[in-house]
Amino acid sequence: MSLFWRIFSLNAVGLIAAAALLLGPVTVSTPVLPGEALAVVVGLAALLAANALVLRIGLAPLQRLGRAMATADLLRPGARAPVAGPAETAALITTYNTMLDRLEAERAAGAARALSAQERERHRIARELHDEVGQTLTAVLLQLKRVADRVPDELREEVGQAQEATRAGLDEIRRIARRLRPGVLEELGLPSALRSLAAEFTTHGLTVRHHVPGDLPRLTEESELVVYRIAQEGLTNTARHAAADRAEVRLSPVRGGVELLVRDDGKGLGGAPEGSGISGMRERALLIGAALSLEPAPGRGTDIRLRIPAATTERR
């Protein structure tokens, strides 16, 4: 029964009962007797209680829909309001769920195009850094070496310092290019790329351990890139914000896919709002239908878990 007919029926029953009492043998004395007043009060209370019950039952699905709309997050897809209640309310909830389906599909498609363009731009910048800036610095370094062989002894130290500064700049350019374009991922595969990433982030203040077996279920190229980028972003956040001493990168097979774990022993997330880095990780996870979760690590620190469905169960 629709909400309209529920409320109309209840009001109609109350009005018909009141009219029947007016036309019937029931009368009210003047002054009103206690028994008559009690009967009127009991009837009014019953009518109000029935009206409140019908409205509560009829409007409860709308309240649930309002809570679902207030907590909806396109970065955490799948949550839907349960379809219940009168016909009008059920139709409204169904329309809302359909709208969420369309918005999530459009967001996923838009994010895929944006991230694809971002990867192309990363490759272009990495190639220009390597081919243009890297080659220029290499030529400068060779020129400084020739100059160092001919300068007077009192200038050799300064030329040597210029050589070291140029060499350090060249190493930094190569490191940035590697981060922008993970060539090891394209050439040697995901396990080798994650091991290389762990070694790259191992510095004097942070030790990154890795556990990446070679016999993993086969993933698509897009899934491997998402795993690598999320591991890279997780370690970057650890190195910059977590004040951690140790971190771990673990890629292990699970039922129906692969799970990536990036764990640190830092100060944890606390109540800080999610920044662009975490939002970017969630966007990437949506592209491959993976589940991303951030939760406190055992003891202290943060666990980043990415559950990736495998393209096939074929072993490498």
Side-chain angles (χ1 to χ4, degrees):
M1 184 183 296
S2 68
L3 183 61
F4 169 79
W5 284 111
R6 288 186 185 188
I7 298 176
F8 176 79
S9 300
L10 180 63
N11 291 335
V13 169
L15 293 174
I16 291 173
L21 290 175
L22 290 176
L23 298 176
V26 178
T27 60
V28 178
S29 304
T30 303
V32 180
L33 299 176
E36 296 171 343
L38 179 62
V40 171
V41 170
V42 170
L44 179 61
L47 183 62
L48 292 176
N51 197 23
L53 179 63
V54 169
L55 290 176
R56 173 71 68 179
I57 295 175
L59 297 179
L62 290 178
Q63 294 175 344
R64 290 195 295 268
L65 175 61
R67 290 193 295 269
M69 295 173 69
T71 58
D73 187 354
L74 295 181
L75 290 178
R76 296 175 175 85
R80 296 291 183 270
V83 179
E88 302 96 328
T89 306
L92 178 62
I93 297 174
T94 301
T95 302
Y96 169 73
N97 290 339
T98 304
M99 180 191 69
L100 271 187
D101 293 337
R102 186 174 66 253
L103 287 176
E104 288 178 0
E106 292 176 354
R107 183 183 181 90
R113 290 191 297 269
L115 291 175
S116 177
Q118 184 184 77
E119 287 298 328
R120 290 195 300 269
E121 187 67 11
R122 283 172 179 258
H123 284 196
R124 185 188 66 81
I125 295 174
R127 185 172 58 251
E128 291 185 359
L129 285 175
H130 182 272
D131 296 344
E132 301 295 335
V133 182
Q135 290 183 5
T136 300
L137 289 179
T138 301
V140 170
L141 191 60
L142 293 175
Q143 186 67 26
L144 285 174
K145 186 178 184 305
R146 286 194 294 267
V147 171
D149 295 335
R150 293 179 297 189
V151 298
D153 293 339
E154 60 271 15
L155 296 178
R156 285 182 183 274
E157 183 177 355
E158 295 182 10
V159 175
Q161 292 175 355
Q163 285 180 293
E164 290 302 321
T166 304
R167 187 175 291 109
L170 181 59
D171 292 340
E172 182 67 15
I173 288 295
R174 289 171 176 169
R175 185 185 65 82
I176 294 173
R178 284 196 304 269
R179 287 198 178 186
L180 289 173
R181 184 187 181 191
V184 65
L185 176 63
E186 300 173 357
E187 298 168 4
L188 301 178
L190 182 60
S192 297
L194 291 179
R195 296 186 192 107
S196 175
L197 189 65
E200 180 182 345
F201 276 91
T202 298
T203 61
H204 296 293
L206 179 64
T207 301
V208 182
R209 302 179 61 185
H210 60 79
H211 180 75
V212 186
D215 56 340
L216 293 169
R218 187 173 299 278
L219 299 175
T220 63
E221 291 183 3
E222 186 180 34
S223 297
E224 289 187 344
L225 181 60
V226 168
V227 171
Y228 180 85
R229 289 301 188 197
I230 289 180
Q232 185 182 48
E233 183 64 33
L235 290 177
T236 299
N237 289 341
T238 297
R240 291 180 179 176
H241 310 297
D245 299 322
R246 294 184 301 276
E248 177 185 4
V249 177
R250 181 181 294 269
L251 191 66
S252 54
V254 294
R255 185 175 182 180
V258 176
E259 183 181 77
L260 170 71
L261 170 65
V262 181
R263 172 177 292 171
D264 65 67
D265 62 349
K267 59 184 180 182
L269 294 173
E274 293 186 358
S276 59
I278 296 177
S279 298
M281 288 192 287
R282 294 194 184 279
E283 292 277 6
R284 290 184 181 277
L286 289 178
L287 293 181
I288 58 174
L292 179 73
S293 64
L294 288 84
E295 54 194 20
R300 65 171 189 159
T302 304
D303 277 0
I304 300 175
R305 294 182 183 273
L306 179 71
R307 182 69 66 91
I308 313 104
T312 66
T313 56
E314 188 178 318
R315 313 299 285 185
R316 291 184 183 275

